[in-house]
Amino acid sequence: MSEYQMNEKHAGMALDRGVQGVLGQPISRIDGLAKVTGTATYGLEHRIDNLAYGVAITAPIGKGRVTAIDTEAARRMPGVIDIIAGEASIPRETPVFGQKSAHGYDGKVESYGEIVGVAIADCFEAARAAAMAVVVTCVAEPGRFDIRDGEADAESPPEGALLPDTVIGDIDKAMGEAEVTLDVTYTTPPQVHAAMEPHGTIASWEGDRLTIRAPVQIVGGAIPVIAATLGIVAENIRVLTPYIGGGFGGKTMSADIILAAVAAKRTGRTVKVPLSRQQIFHVTYGRSDTIQRVRLGADRAGKLSAVGQDSLVGQKAGASQFFEPVALGAVALYAGANRSFTTRTAQVNLTARGPVRAPGEAVGMIGMECAMDEMAAKLGLDPIAFRKANEPEVDPSTGSPFSSRRLIECYDEGARRFGWADRRKRREGDWLIGHGMATASRVNFLAKSAARVRLGADGRALIETDMTDLGTGTYTILAQVAGESLGLPIGSVDVHLGDSDFPTGAGSGGSFGAASSASSVALACEDVVVELARRMGADPADMTLKDGHAISGNRRVSLAELVGGSPIEGMGTIQPGSTGQAFSQSTHGAHFAEIGVNAVTGEIRVRRMLAVFDCGRVLNHKTARSQAIGGMIWGIGYALHEHAVVDTRTGAYVNRDLAEYHVPTNADVPQIEAYFVEEIDRHANPVGAKGLGEAGISGAAAVVANAIHDACGVRVRDFPITADKLLEGLPPV
Amino acid sequence: MRTFDYARADTPEAAVAGFAQTGTRFIAGGTNLLDLMKLQIETPTRLVDISRLPLADIEEREDGGLTIGALVPNSDLAADKRVIAKYEMLSRALLAGASGQLRNKATTGGNLLQRTRCNYFYDTAAPCNKRAPGTGCAAIGGFNRIMAVLGTSDHCIASHPSDMAVAMRALDATLVTLRAEGGQRRIPIAEFHLPPGDTPHIETVLQPGELITHIELPPPPAGRQIYRKVRDRASYAFALVSVAGAVSVEDGRIASATLAFGGLGVMPWRDPAVERALIGQAPGSPAFEAAADALLAPAKGHGSNDFKIPLARRTLISCLRHLTGTSL
């Protein structure tokens, strides 16, 4: 049993002595074949006999009361088994991150489309028709459908918040005294996760035991919420989530899990409750819109004396203390003695606001990195030179040293590869071509994670943890970590994930999944290696493991032989410790982009993007690259497309499908390159990897915006940047 | 469950005969109707499947035009060598629409009947005179970025979403139908779509049971052709503004012009005043500005779609430059 708490720099392990040569290799996903051939079974795809179907019944108002729910006609429809409506067991919406349980139905409606019941039938079509036939009568009341409505009584971060307000020195005074200042406001709109796989659950009971098949990013986090909401003990809940079709923060919990469990209990059937795409917009949480005031003050040489990012965000009244941590990426990014990074949260009647890919940085780095570009222009400095001039020695907000920070190398390597020095603003036919750069910074987390590794008599290793793979590559990197530690080819490692009967892993979220779960597997392998060495009669440090054999001195023994009749099992647990506070930990990077703006229509097309990241150790260069470019593509979406439009008359999202809620299509995605500056960060975690899943997003929207400005001279501060916002600034036709 | 009867027609005559009862809809590719049925925006009680009728051929006509079967898939029509050679704007319009998968299923006849993408039309909890006559229009005073600026009424401002139909409008297509009571009818596309007025739920002149069997294209117009679609992303987005057109220049004067517009109107939009402003004029800014003035004089924005008016002006002028080979 290897447990390690990160209270000090990790000294290295069997993983580091490994000679198998699989760690870091660009190995294709070991689950890829199953996925592309359709044999990987996702949550809603399980074929179960005698299944019943549930469809949520929702209230079509943004705030008010439900006065009547008429289920008569619906109950008489063919195939209908039962309709549960207007009962406290019905979850009104998805409990958002930080919320202990779902709010049960109580007749009140606090955001558009809250759930009031579930229609259960023998087939999906019957359940859907029945749900739509239920007449929900409501009295609407005036609601707060815009965060500005809640500005007057907006609240400061609660005690213990992920991003407490940071106020150092006197920014107002510093702004007054600075030779060059910038004081601008950037706004970003509400956004949703838009995962390809919709939310949905299959729930079944055997006595008191509940089995949930659903996409769940963090199994260990969801189970207590399910238990508290249903009033059952956590030990009686099993969650199975081997494959997830995209999470992006939106699948930490979902109302359909509760609905399916309630419906299954009531009917005695196994019940499948899928959410429609339209329902997902309203009954799962999304990202708040933000209003960011960014202040920068510097001397004429470009040395910053004032840095501030003060934001207003929204949260549904009574939902959770979670708030969009806008300044998370900027707070430790640039030097400057006078600092203000604050967040006010307005209480609104909009769908709960929770984690959406790169909470904080995805939108916060828009404000900071566009403002830095504006400021560089005001100073007449190259944007890279301006950033380098303000590169801090230690975390400028806390004074802590950085665990690792190779941002300057990212700038230099990126500039070289992109050809930054030779960039040429120009017009090609109708297209205005411009270039931009922006910094990426994403805070690095470690989460408690446990895994079991068993070396069997056949010489194969089996990894078990309830860690998940959202499509990120977890299966593959864990196999690589075990393969490298135990001297096994990748094909000799089996990985079983997403079953709550396995040791509790970190889950996927906050970019902590890879480093946390890989550390737990590496630690578990330590146990196995120690036992193998004992059986070899060797010191672990003197034993080499390769190609399924242990080698010590002149002896080479197969692992199968060493295992014999007694399989070797290791348990590894990593826990965050004091290095999390003692060191400022982030993944860093530098983005570069070339953009075309159509001089006639204002259409924007990204022509190429390139980024270099300092993300610690790279566990798999192929999946890491996929993570990085995936993040950069989301950045294109945040710059140009994503906007969940709220109708401020009703509080409803207007564009609630993927035809009208735009994310980038293949045709919007240009040539993208991603490179890594590698360093094993031993302060961060035992394997020395830093988070990468969200780092690619950080700054990626800003680089697009900065290049648009370079191309056409129009600075848009209200995102997304669409053609209509550029028209007035374009040359006459 | 909302049940419906399903009948498969073997001949056009049988399809039309099968339409006897109310609540019947023809279904071909189903790319629009099935989505609308899932959301209960359309609730037919009977579907007559016409997808197996022998109406999927493209034939050359003696006058140099084409006769296109109503069931020719959008993908096939776009890839037809004769269409590419002679009706470039149509091929380009088709390829600018939807996605590859949708174009493989969507049919030529069905595309002409495509229903609006108005966000409120899709929201059964919102008032909508097109979906539920007499309930009002939530788009007026709401989020109307994708709505129309031409041909709207106080009852409806929904835009027509089709790209193909815009090219068909510029090409002066004629629809050939089989009437419910028997016999063919020929409907010029100019007379096919109806403005919303106070009956936005009535979108075309088709009578119940009347089946589009063919679309006839006259010989191609003279001059260079274009289909220019301006949209929020590079694929799978409806037009903010689109222009289908052909212009010919002889002896330094515009000899002929045909121009139709998408994204702007409540139906595929064509205004003879635009072409009148061009014909006989020397290609250049004065004529192009006059054409844009003619197009947009009646335009009315509704807030979030105001930008379509200047965008349409710029796009049209740019297209006219391209079509006439006039540089800046």
Side-chain angles (χ1 to χ4, degrees), chain A residues 402-444:
Chain A
F402 296 111
S403 65
S404 62
R405 177 158 164 142
R406 300 176 69 176
L407 180 53
I408 300 288
E409 281 176 70
C410 293
Y411 291 141
D412 292 342
E413 178 75 357
R416 184 183 67 77
R417 289 181 176 275
F418 185 78
W420 179 249
D422 303 324
R423 69 192 186 280
R424 197 166 51 80
K425 181 175 160 172
R426 61 191 186 274
R427 179 167 181 152
E428 292 178 1
D430 279 342
W431 292 92
L432 307 169
I433 314 301
H435 305 84
M437 64 81 53
T439 303
S441 176
R442 167 68 193 173
V443 66
N444 184 62

Short mmCIF file of all heavy atoms in Angstrom, two decimals, chain A residues 402-444:
data_model
loop_
_atom_site.label_atom_id
_atom_site.label_comp_id
_atom_site.label_asym_id
_atom_site.label_seq_id
_atom_site.Cartn_x
_atom_site.Cartn_y
_atom_site.Cartn_z
N PHE A 402 7.34 29.45 -7.92
CA PHE A 402 6.64 28.61 -8.89
C PHE A 402 7.20 27.20 -8.81
O PHE A 402 8.41 27.01 -8.66
CB PHE A 402 6.83 29.15 -10.30
CG PHE A 402 6.22 30.51 -10.52
CD1 PHE A 402 7.01 31.63 -10.72
CD2 PHE A 402 4.84 30.66 -10.53
CE1 PHE A 402 6.45 32.88 -10.93
CE2 PHE A 402 4.27 31.91 -10.74
CZ PHE A 402 5.06 33.03 -10.93
N SER A 403 6.32 26.20 -8.92
CA SER A 403 6.81 24.81 -8.94
C SER A 403 7.64 24.59 -10.19
O SER A 403 8.66 23.90 -10.17
CB SER A 403 5.63 23.83 -8.89
OG SER A 403 4.84 23.95 -10.05
N SER A 404 7.22 25.16 -11.28
CA SER A 404 7.98 25.18 -12.53
C SER A 404 7.32 26.24 -13.39
O SER A 404 6.12 26.44 -13.32
CB SER A 404 7.96 23.82 -13.24
OG SER A 404 6.64 23.45 -13.59
N ARG A 405 8.12 26.94 -14.15
CA ARG A 405 7.54 27.98 -15.03
C ARG A 405 8.55 28.26 -16.13
O ARG A 405 9.59 28.85 -15.90
CB ARG A 405 7.24 29.24 -14.23
CG ARG A 405 6.71 30.41 -15.10
CD ARG A 405 5.95 31.39 -14.26
NE ARG A 405 5.75 32.66 -14.93
CZ ARG A 405 4.63 33.39 -14.84
NH1 ARG A 405 3.61 32.95 -14.12
NH2 ARG A 405 4.53 34.54 -15.46
N ARG A 406 8.21 27.80 -17.31
CA ARG A 406 9.11 27.98 -18.45
C ARG A 406 8.40 28.75 -19.55
O ARG A 406 8.48 28.43 -20.73
CB ARG A 406 9.61 26.61 -18.92
CG ARG A 406 10.36 25.92 -17.78
CD ARG A 406 10.80 24.54 -18.13
NE ARG A 406 11.85 24.55 -19.14
CZ ARG A 406 12.46 23.44 -19.56
NH1 ARG A 406 12.13 22.28 -19.07
NH2 ARG A 406 13.39 23.52 -20.49
N LEU A 407 7.69 29.78 -19.11
CA LEU A 407 6.88 30.58 -20.01
C LEU A 407 7.74 31.31 -21.04
O LEU A 407 7.38 31.40 -22.22
CB LEU A 407 6.03 31.57 -19.19
CG LEU A 407 5.10 32.50 -19.94
CD1 LEU A 407 4.19 31.75 -20.91
CD2 LEU A 407 4.24 33.29 -18.94
N ILE A 408 8.90 31.83 -20.59
CA ILE A 408 9.77 32.57 -21.53
C ILE A 408 10.18 31.65 -22.69
O ILE A 408 10.20 32.06 -23.84
CB ILE A 408 11.02 33.10 -20.78
CG1 ILE A 408 10.60 34.04 -19.65
CG2 ILE A 408 11.99 33.77 -21.76
CD1 ILE A 408 10.07 35.38 -20.08
N GLU A 409 10.48 30.38 -22.34
CA GLU A 409 10.84 29.43 -23.41
C GLU A 409 9.67 29.20 -24.36
O GLU A 409 9.87 29.02 -25.56
CB GLU A 409 11.25 28.09 -22.79
CG GLU A 409 12.66 28.07 -22.26
CD GLU A 409 12.95 26.74 -21.58
OE1 GLU A 409 13.05 25.72 -22.28
OE2 GLU A 409 13.05 26.76 -20.34
N CYS A 410 8.46 29.19 -23.78
CA CYS A 410 7.27 29.02 -24.64
C CYS A 410 7.15 30.18 -25.62
O CYS A 410 6.87 29.99 -26.81
CB CYS A 410 6.00 28.92 -23.80
SG CYS A 410 5.89 27.44 -22.78
N TYR A 411 7.36 31.41 -25.12
CA TYR A 411 7.32 32.58 -26.02
C TYR A 411 8.35 32.43 -27.14
O TYR A 411 8.06 32.63 -28.31
CB TYR A 411 7.65 33.87 -25.24
CG TYR A 411 6.62 34.32 -24.22
CD1 TYR A 411 7.02 34.87 -23.00
CD2 TYR A 411 5.26 34.24 -24.49
CE1 TYR A 411 6.10 35.32 -22.06
CE2 TYR A 411 4.33 34.69 -23.56
CZ TYR A 411 4.76 35.23 -22.34
OH TYR A 411 3.84 35.67 -21.42
N ASP A 412 9.59 32.12 -26.73
CA ASP A 412 10.68 32.10 -27.70
C ASP A 412 10.53 30.97 -28.70
O ASP A 412 10.70 31.15 -29.91
CB ASP A 412 12.03 31.99 -26.96
CG ASP A 412 12.34 33.26 -26.17
OD1 ASP A 412 11.73 34.30 -26.46
OD2 ASP A 412 13.20 33.21 -25.27
N GLU A 413 10.18 29.79 -28.18
CA GLU A 413 10.01 28.63 -29.06
C GLU A 413 8.82 28.84 -30.00
O GLU A 413 8.89 28.53 -31.20
CB GLU A 413 9.81 27.38 -28.18
CG GLU A 413 9.56 26.09 -28.93
CD GLU A 413 10.83 25.53 -29.56
OE1 GLU A 413 11.89 26.18 -29.46
OE2 GLU A 413 10.74 24.46 -30.18
N GLY A 414 7.74 29.38 -29.45
CA GLY A 414 6.55 29.64 -30.26
C GLY A 414 6.82 30.68 -31.33
O GLY A 414 6.42 30.53 -32.49
N ALA A 415 7.49 31.75 -30.94
CA ALA A 415 7.77 32.84 -31.89
C ALA A 415 8.64 32.32 -33.03
O ALA A 415 8.43 32.64 -34.20
CB ALA A 415 8.46 33.98 -31.16
N ARG A 416 9.60 31.49 -32.67
CA ARG A 416 10.51 30.94 -33.68
C ARG A 416 9.74 30.04 -34.66
O ARG A 416 9.84 30.17 -35.88
CB ARG A 416 11.61 30.13 -33.00
CG ARG A 416 12.67 29.57 -33.94
CD ARG A 416 13.69 28.72 -33.19
NE ARG A 416 13.13 27.48 -32.65
CZ ARG A 416 12.87 26.40 -33.39
NH1 ARG A 416 13.10 26.42 -34.68
NH2 ARG A 416 12.36 25.30 -32.85
N ARG A 417 8.95 29.12 -34.11
CA ARG A 417 8.23 28.18 -34.96
C ARG A 417 7.17 28.87 -35.81
O ARG A 417 6.92 28.48 -36.95
CB ARG A 417 7.56 27.10 -34.10
CG ARG A 417 8.54 26.12 -33.48
CD ARG A 417 7.76 25.08 -32.66
NE ARG A 417 8.61 24.05 -32.10
CZ ARG A 417 9.00 22.94 -32.76
NH1 ARG A 417 8.59 22.75 -34.00
NH2 ARG A 417 9.76 22.04 -32.18
N PHE A 418 6.53 29.90 -35.24
CA PHE A 418 5.44 30.58 -35.95
C PHE A 418 5.98 31.55 -36.99
O PHE A 418 5.30 31.85 -37.98
CB PHE A 418 4.59 31.35 -34.92
CG PHE A 418 3.37 32.01 -35.50
CD1 PHE A 418 2.22 31.26 -35.79
CD2 PHE A 418 3.34 33.37 -35.75
CE1 PHE A 418 1.09 31.86 -36.32
CE2 PHE A 418 2.21 33.98 -36.28
CZ PHE A 418 1.08 33.23 -36.56
N GLY A 419 7.18 32.01 -36.78
CA GLY A 419 7.71 33.07 -37.64
C GLY A 419 7.18 34.43 -37.23
O GLY A 419 6.85 35.27 -38.08
N TRP A 420 7.11 34.65 -35.94
CA TRP A 420 6.52 35.88 -35.39
C TRP A 420 7.24 37.13 -35.90
O TRP A 420 6.62 38.12 -36.26
CB TRP A 420 6.57 35.81 -33.86
CG TRP A 420 6.01 37.01 -33.13
CD1 TRP A 420 6.73 37.91 -32.41
CD2 TRP A 420 4.65 37.42 -33.07
NE1 TRP A 420 5.88 38.86 -31.89
CE2 TRP A 420 4.59 38.59 -32.27
CE3 TRP A 420 3.45 36.91 -33.60
CZ2 TRP A 420 3.42 39.26 -31.99
CZ3 TRP A 420 2.27 37.59 -33.33
CH2 TRP A 420 2.26 38.74 -32.54
N ALA A 421 8.57 37.03 -35.94
CA ALA A 421 9.36 38.22 -36.31
C ALA A 421 9.12 38.60 -37.78
O ALA A 421 9.27 39.76 -38.15
CB ALA A 421 10.84 37.95 -36.07
N ASP A 422 8.72 37.61 -38.58
CA ASP A 422 8.55 37.88 -40.02
C ASP A 422 7.09 38.06 -40.41
O ASP A 422 6.75 38.06 -41.59
CB ASP A 422 9.13 36.72 -40.84
CG ASP A 422 10.59 36.48 -40.51
OD1 ASP A 422 11.29 37.47 -40.27
OD2 ASP A 422 11.00 35.30 -40.46
N ARG A 423 6.22 38.16 -39.44
CA ARG A 423 4.79 38.26 -39.77
C ARG A 423 4.54 39.54 -40.57
O ARG A 423 5.22 40.55 -40.36
CB ARG A 423 3.95 38.24 -38.49
CG ARG A 423 4.09 39.48 -37.63
CD ARG A 423 3.45 39.27 -36.27
NE ARG A 423 3.44 40.48 -35.45
CZ ARG A 423 4.47 40.93 -34.76
NH1 ARG A 423 5.63 40.30 -34.80
NH2 ARG A 423 4.36 42.04 -34.05
N ARG A 424 3.56 39.46 -41.46
CA ARG A 424 3.32 40.58 -42.34
C ARG A 424 1.81 40.79 -42.45
O ARG A 424 1.08 39.95 -42.97
CB ARG A 424 3.92 40.28 -43.72
CG ARG A 424 4.11 41.48 -44.62
CD ARG A 424 5.02 41.10 -45.79
NE ARG A 424 4.56 39.88 -46.46
CZ ARG A 424 3.57 39.85 -47.35
NH1 ARG A 424 2.94 40.95 -47.71
NH2 ARG A 424 3.22 38.71 -47.92
N LYS A 425 1.36 41.89 -41.92
CA LYS A 425 -0.04 42.27 -42.04
C LYS A 425 -0.28 42.64 -43.51
O LYS A 425 0.50 43.36 -44.10
CB LYS A 425 -0.29 43.48 -41.13
CG LYS A 425 -1.68 44.00 -41.10
CD LYS A 425 -1.75 45.10 -40.06
CE LYS A 425 -2.95 45.98 -40.31
NZ LYS A 425 -3.14 46.93 -39.22
N ARG A 426 -1.36 42.12 -44.09
CA ARG A 426 -1.54 42.35 -45.52
C ARG A 426 -2.98 42.12 -45.95
O ARG A 426 -3.80 41.63 -45.17
CB ARG A 426 -0.60 41.43 -46.30
CG ARG A 426 -0.87 39.95 -46.06
CD ARG A 426 0.24 39.08 -46.62
NE ARG A 426 -0.07 37.67 -46.51
CZ ARG A 426 0.18 36.93 -45.44
NH1 ARG A 426 0.73 37.46 -44.38
NH2 ARG A 426 -0.13 35.64 -45.43
N ARG A 427 -3.25 42.45 -47.20
CA ARG A 427 -4.55 42.13 -47.78
C ARG A 427 -4.35 41.18 -48.93
O ARG A 427 -3.50 41.41 -49.80
CB ARG A 427 -5.24 43.42 -48.26
CG ARG A 427 -6.61 43.15 -48.89
CD ARG A 427 -7.44 44.41 -49.07
NE ARG A 427 -8.73 44.07 -49.67
CZ ARG A 427 -9.85 44.76 -49.49
NH1 ARG A 427 -9.85 45.84 -48.73
NH2 ARG A 427 -10.97 44.37 -50.06
N GLU A 428 -5.13 40.09 -48.95
CA GLU A 428 -5.09 39.14 -50.06
C GLU A 428 -6.50 39.09 -50.63
O GLU A 428 -7.39 38.49 -50.04
CB GLU A 428 -4.67 37.75 -49.58
CG GLU A 428 -3.22 37.68 -49.12
CD GLU A 428 -2.84 36.28 -48.59
OE1 GLU A 428 -3.70 35.38 -48.60
OE2 GLU A 428 -1.69 36.14 -48.15
N GLY A 429 -6.73 39.73 -51.76
CA GLY A 429 -8.08 39.81 -52.31
C GLY A 429 -8.99 40.51 -51.33
O GLY A 429 -8.69 41.62 -50.88
N ASP A 430 -10.09 39.84 -50.97
CA ASP A 430 -11.01 40.45 -50.00
C ASP A 430 -10.57 40.21 -48.56
O ASP A 430 -11.26 40.65 -47.63
CB ASP A 430 -12.43 39.86 -50.18
CG ASP A 430 -13.17 40.52 -51.34
OD1 ASP A 430 -12.75 41.61 -51.77
OD2 ASP A 430 -14.16 39.92 -51.80
N TRP A 431 -9.50 39.49 -48.35
CA TRP A 431 -9.16 39.07 -46.99
C TRP A 431 -8.05 39.93 -46.38
O TRP A 431 -6.99 40.12 -46.97
CB TRP A 431 -8.76 37.60 -46.97
CG TRP A 431 -9.94 36.72 -47.27
CD1 TRP A 431 -10.35 36.27 -48.49
CD2 TRP A 431 -10.92 36.25 -46.32
NE1 TRP A 431 -11.51 35.53 -48.36
CE2 TRP A 431 -11.88 35.50 -47.06
CE3 TRP A 431 -11.07 36.39 -44.94
CZ2 TRP A 431 -12.99 34.90 -46.44
CZ3 TRP A 431 -12.16 35.77 -44.33
CH2 TRP A 431 -13.10 35.04 -45.08
N LEU A 432 -8.34 40.43 -45.20
CA LEU A 432 -7.36 41.18 -44.41
C LEU A 432 -6.69 40.18 -43.48
O LEU A 432 -7.36 39.50 -42.71
CB LEU A 432 -8.06 42.27 -43.59
CG LEU A 432 -8.97 43.21 -44.39
CD1 LEU A 432 -9.80 44.07 -43.44
CD2 LEU A 432 -8.13 44.10 -45.31
N ILE A 433 -5.38 40.09 -43.57
CA ILE A 433 -4.66 39.07 -42.82
C ILE A 433 -3.91 39.72 -41.65
O ILE A 433 -3.18 40.70 -41.85
CB ILE A 433 -3.63 38.34 -43.72
CG1 ILE A 433 -4.25 37.94 -45.06
CG2 ILE A 433 -3.03 37.14 -42.98
CD1 ILE A 433 -5.44 37.05 -44.97
N GLY A 434 -4.10 39.17 -40.47
CA GLY A 434 -3.41 39.69 -39.30
C GLY A 434 -2.92 38.58 -38.40
O GLY A 434 -3.28 37.41 -38.57
N HIS A 435 -2.10 38.96 -37.44
CA HIS A 435 -1.48 37.98 -36.53
C HIS A 435 -1.62 38.44 -35.09
O HIS A 435 -1.76 39.63 -34.81
CB HIS A 435 0.00 37.82 -36.86
CG HIS A 435 0.23 37.47 -38.29
ND1 HIS A 435 0.28 38.42 -39.29
CD2 HIS A 435 0.39 36.27 -38.89
CE1 HIS A 435 0.47 37.82 -40.46
NE2 HIS A 435 0.54 36.51 -40.25
N GLY A 436 -1.56 37.48 -34.20
CA GLY A 436 -1.62 37.84 -32.79
C GLY A 436 -0.94 36.79 -31.94
O GLY A 436 -0.63 35.69 -32.41
N MET A 437 -0.69 37.16 -30.70
CA MET A 437 -0.19 36.19 -29.73
C MET A 437 -0.91 36.44 -28.40
O MET A 437 -1.51 37.50 -28.19
CB MET A 437 1.33 36.27 -29.57
CG MET A 437 1.92 37.55 -29.01
SD MET A 437 1.84 37.69 -27.19
CE MET A 437 2.60 36.16 -26.65
N ALA A 438 -0.88 35.46 -27.56
CA ALA A 438 -1.46 35.58 -26.22
C ALA A 438 -0.83 34.52 -25.33
O ALA A 438 -0.31 33.51 -25.82
CB ALA A 438 -2.98 35.40 -26.25
N THR A 439 -0.87 34.77 -24.04
CA THR A 439 -0.31 33.83 -23.08
C THR A 439 -1.39 32.86 -22.59
O THR A 439 -2.55 33.24 -22.47
CB THR A 439 0.27 34.61 -21.88
OG1 THR A 439 1.22 35.54 -22.38
CG2 THR A 439 0.92 33.69 -20.87
N ALA A 440 -0.97 31.63 -22.34
CA ALA A 440 -1.84 30.64 -21.70
C ALA A 440 -1.36 30.42 -20.27
O ALA A 440 -0.16 30.38 -20.01
CB ALA A 440 -1.79 29.31 -22.46
N SER A 441 -2.30 30.32 -19.37
CA SER A 441 -1.96 29.97 -18.00
C SER A 441 -3.16 29.27 -17.39
O SER A 441 -4.28 29.77 -17.47
CB SER A 441 -1.63 31.24 -17.20
OG SER A 441 -1.38 30.91 -15.85
N ARG A 442 -2.92 28.11 -16.86
CA ARG A 442 -4.02 27.36 -16.26
C ARG A 442 -3.50 26.78 -14.95
O ARG A 442 -2.51 26.04 -14.93
CB ARG A 442 -4.50 26.25 -17.19
CG ARG A 442 -5.42 25.21 -16.56
CD ARG A 442 -6.78 25.74 -16.16
NE ARG A 442 -7.48 24.77 -15.29
CZ ARG A 442 -8.64 25.02 -14.69
NH1 ARG A 442 -9.25 26.17 -14.85
NH2 ARG A 442 -9.20 24.13 -13.91
N VAL A 443 -4.20 27.08 -13.86
CA VAL A 443 -3.78 26.63 -12.54
C VAL A 443 -3.72 25.11 -12.51
O VAL A 443 -4.51 24.42 -13.16
CB VAL A 443 -4.75 27.20 -11.49
CG1 VAL A 443 -6.13 26.62 -11.64
CG2 VAL A 443 -4.23 26.98 -10.08
N ASN A 444 -2.73 24.58 -11.80
CA ASN A 444 -2.54 23.12 -11.72
C ASN A 444 -3.05 22.59 -10.39
O ASN A 444 -2.71 23.11 -9.33
CB ASN A 444 -1.06 22.78 -11.87
CG ASN A 444 -0.84 21.28 -11.89
OD1 ASN A 444 -1.33 20.60 -12.78
ND2 ASN A 444 -0.13 20.77 -10.90
#
